[in-house]
Amino acid sequence: MKQYYQPEIETMPREQLHALQSERLVKQIRHVWENVPYYRQKMEEKGVTPEDIHGIEDLHKLPFLSKSDLRDAYPYGLLAEPLSACVRIQSTSGTTGRRVVAFYTQHDIDLWEDCCARAIVAAGGTNQDVCQVCYGYGLFTGGPGLNGGSHKVGCLTLPMSSGNTERQLQFMTDLQATILCCTPSYAAYLGESAIEMGLRDKLHLKAGIFGAEAWTEEMRHDIEQKLGLKAYDIYGLTELSGPGVAFECEEQHGMHICEDHFIAEIIDPNTEEVLPYGQKGELVFTSITKEAFPMIRYRTRDICVLNAEPCSCGRTHIRMSKPMGRSDDMLIIRGVNVFPSQIETVLLNQGMPANYQIIVDRVNNTDTFDVEVEMPAELISDSLSEISRKEKELVGALRSMLGISANVRLVAPKSIARSEGKAVRVIDKRKLY
């Protein structure tokens, strides 16, 4: 029997859903025009007024927002409600420049938690489950979002936050947690630690909801094997609300976007032309129910594909693929486009752990490209010549994938800083600007 948190919305016929989106979009544009001078100016510069927006067919007429707009308007320039109506902020986990600060009314939080509840139910969650939330709490959206969603489903919620792995595993085994919510890199670490501590057979996990950083199908299978669960992807951005913008169902052929709250587009990142479903491009979102901090045509910089084909799970909302990279964090090394996800795929295919770090520098006007990879525990006892042979294998596999050579160095297990928020995969030391 298929499970939905809000079946009348999640299985709504497409025509009815489009009508709802149009109604909400028209209302939202009027709300933004009247309350956000920053965006009203952008509309005026493009010659657009609320009277020009009659439904989703007119969405393309509106100007884009980008992260630079959010930084320029920091902290209150995009706020659409009086501060007295706002009850919370959340903030990005970025460490450079001005952080993005998003505002929420209580209504915004309720809708966000509904989206997270949909994700938990889609992963098989019910009020009989014990949901352990190991995303960071505080400013980071992961913990508060899944915590609220878990409450709405009626799960017994373990608000663990991140860190203290020994305590995480103690609660996980003692309280028989059945659903785990955290970043994929931390899930992999928990799996390794459970095996090392002899606790693998004491786990009762059935599902994991993992997001906030890029991860591959190979990493999914690795986590599933280590923790004995089914791993589900979840997508979101602080700018839109947080996790729950999109989530996987049991079919796992893309993540269903909560289209009653967010309208998705795919654009060519260079020309800004809207592309049809099925074509790869940059994902753009418009939030049509957010009161305090509505994003109109927000450029996520995530590269993906939208799929409007019917899903056998019964949900009618379109699906987005797992992001295939980002238009703004792609590395150009010696003239070649390199995405961290490509490197991760090679490492996992070669039987290596998913914890690695890419270090790029420029020496004598030439890019240097180093990849440090934690070796599996079984390699520690091998001879230096055997470790060197494995490094050379990885060099060859990366060259085949990327078309350029990297220096690969195998390092001791757990010697690369572990992430309990977002993994820092790339250190770019070049002075390119």
Side-chain angles (χ1 to χ4, degrees):
M1 180 179 175
K2 290 180 169 55
Q3 290 182 312
Y4 313 101
Y5 177 67
Q6 294 170 311
E8 70 288 351
I9 297 172
E10 296 178 64
T11 63
M12 184 179 287
R14 294 292 302 170
E15 289 182 9
Q16 190 178 339
L17 184 56
H18 287 159
L20 178 64
Q21 287 182 318
S22 289
E23 176 189 332
R24 289 180 170 178
L25 175 65
V26 170
K27 181 180 177 182
Q28 185 73 293
I29 296 306
R30 173 61 64 182
H31 175 57
V32 170
W33 175 270
E34 292 176 352
N35 295 288
V36 185
Y38 186 97
Y39 194 75
R40 181 168 67 244
Q41 182 179 340
K42 290 181 76 77
M43 288 178 64
E44 288 172 342
E45 288 170 357
K46 199 168 182 186
V48 185
T49 68
E51 286 69 31
D52 298 314
I53 308 301
H54 305 285
I56 55 175
E57 67 277 5
D58 296 318
L59 185 61
H60 69 280
K61 299 176 182 178
L62 294 162
F64 293 103
L65 280 173
S66 67
K67 187 158 283 190
S68 63
D69 287 307
L70 272 63
R71 287 173 176 149
D72 291 345
Y74 174 92
Y76 296 125
L78 289 169
L79 186 61
E81 292 282 349
L83 277 180
S84 59
C86 300
V87 298
R88 189 194 300 175
I89 68 157
Q90 302 283 167
S91 181
T92 57
S93 55
T95 55
T96 59
R98 288 175 171 171
R99 297 169 70 100
V100 171
V101 174
F103 298 83
Y104 300 74
T105 64
Q106 186 58 52
H107 183 62
D108 291 335
I109 291 173
D110 289 339
L111 296 185
W112 174 27
E113 291 178 348
D114 284 344
C115 292
C116 290
R118 292 181 196 177
I120 292 170
V121 172
T126 70
N127 61 5
Q128 301 300 307
D129 281 292
V130 177
C131 183
Q132 184 157 335
V133 182
C134 308
Y135 286 111
Y137 282 67
L139 290 172
F140 183 57
T141 57
L146 270 303
N147 189 92
S150 176
H151 282 194
K152 287 208 166 185
V153 174
C155 303
L156 174 63
T157 307
L158 310 185
M160 300 296 296
S161 192
S162 56
N164 200 330
T165 298
E166 189 172 330
R167 183 179 62 192
Q168 298 276 9
L169 290 170
Q170 179 188 346
F171 273 77
M172 194 179 293
T173 54
D174 290 353
L175 294 171
Q176 300 184 8
T178 52
I179 298 174
L180 174 65
C181 304
C182 62
T183 61
S185 59
Y186 193 50
Y189 184 51
L190 285 169
E192 293 166 9
S193 300
I195 292 168
E196 288 174 6
M197 295 168 65
L199 299 174
R200 174 63 173 77
D201 293 339
K202 295 183 179 180
L203 299 179
H204 293 77
L205 295 170
K206 69 177 186 181
I209 300 174
F210 307 129
E213 61 190 24
W215 56 308
T216 60
E217 286 302 305
E218 292 84 1
M219 190 172 182
R220 185 205 297 268
H221 299 318
D222 182 60
I223 292 170
E224 289 179 333
Q225 186 175 28
K226 284 189 169 88
L227 288 172
L229 48 68
K230 186 170 181 178
Y232 292 81
D233 209 348
I234 189 169
Y235 178 89
L237 303 94
T238 301
E239 296 91 325
L240 296 175
S241 63
V245 171
F247 57 86
E248 281 187 322
C249 64
E250 67 267 22
E251 299 300 325
Q252 297 191 321
H253 293 144
M255 291 175 277
H256 289 279
I257 294 168
C258 293
E259 288 191 279
D260 52 321
H261 300 302
F262 308 101
I263 301 174
E265 302 171 273
I266 292 289
I267 65 167
D268 181 312
N270 298 313
T271 66
E272 299 184 346
E273 172 195 2
V274 178
L275 302 176
Y277 291 152
Q279 287 198 23
K280 183 168 72 172
E282 181 183 335
L283 183 60
V284 173
F285 273 116
T286 297
S287 54
I288 50 176
T289 55
K290 191 90 184 282
E291 293 178 335
F293 200 68
M295 291 286 99
I296 309 299
R297 301 199 82 194
Y298 180 69
R299 296 187 59 169
T300 69
R301 301 296 179 179
D302 285 325
I303 302 297
C304 73
V305 174
L306 295 180
N307 179 3
E309 294 297 315
C311 182
S312 57
C313 77
R315 291 174 180 82
T316 54
H317 297 211
I318 62 169
R319 287 164 286 162
M320 59 175 279
S321 68
K322 185 185 288 288
M324 303 167 182
R326 288 180 58 81
S327 63
D328 62 350
D329 74 353
M330 177 185 73
L331 291 163
I332 301 178
I333 304 173
R334 301 175 209 147
V336 175
N337 296 343
V338 175
F339 289 99
S341 58
Q342 295 173 299
I343 294 169
E344 183 173 298
T345 295
V346 168
L347 296 178
L348 287 165
N349 284 340
Q350 293 287 319
M352 306 303 291
N355 215 43
Y356 63 94
Q357 203 156 61
I358 304 160
I359 302 155
V360 186
D361 205 347
R362 182 159 289 175
V363 179
N364 297 325
N365 297 317
T366 301
D367 289 338
T368 62
F369 179 21
D370 297 284
V371 182
E372 292 189 350
V373 186
E374 287 186 0
M375 68 179 85
E378 59 267 22
L379 273 184
I380 296 176
S381 58
D382 288 353
S383 64
L384 289 176
S385 61
E386 180 62 22
I387 292 173
S388 178
R389 185 189 66 79
K390 187 63 180 177
E391 287 175 339
K392 288 176 181 175
E393 277 184 12
L394 291 171
V395 168
L398 285 170
R399 188 188 301 115
S400 295
M401 169 69 82
L402 304 172
I404 59 172
S405 294
N407 300 312
V408 176
R409 187 164 71 95
L410 292 177
V411 298
K414 300 187 179 179
S415 61
I416 295 174
R418 291 285 178 165
S419 168
E420 289 151 1
K422 288 192 179 183
V424 179
R425 297 296 192 202
V426 179
I427 298 174
D428 194 340
K429 299 179 178 178
R430 297 174 295 180
K431 308 297 183 195
L432 301 178
Y433 303 103

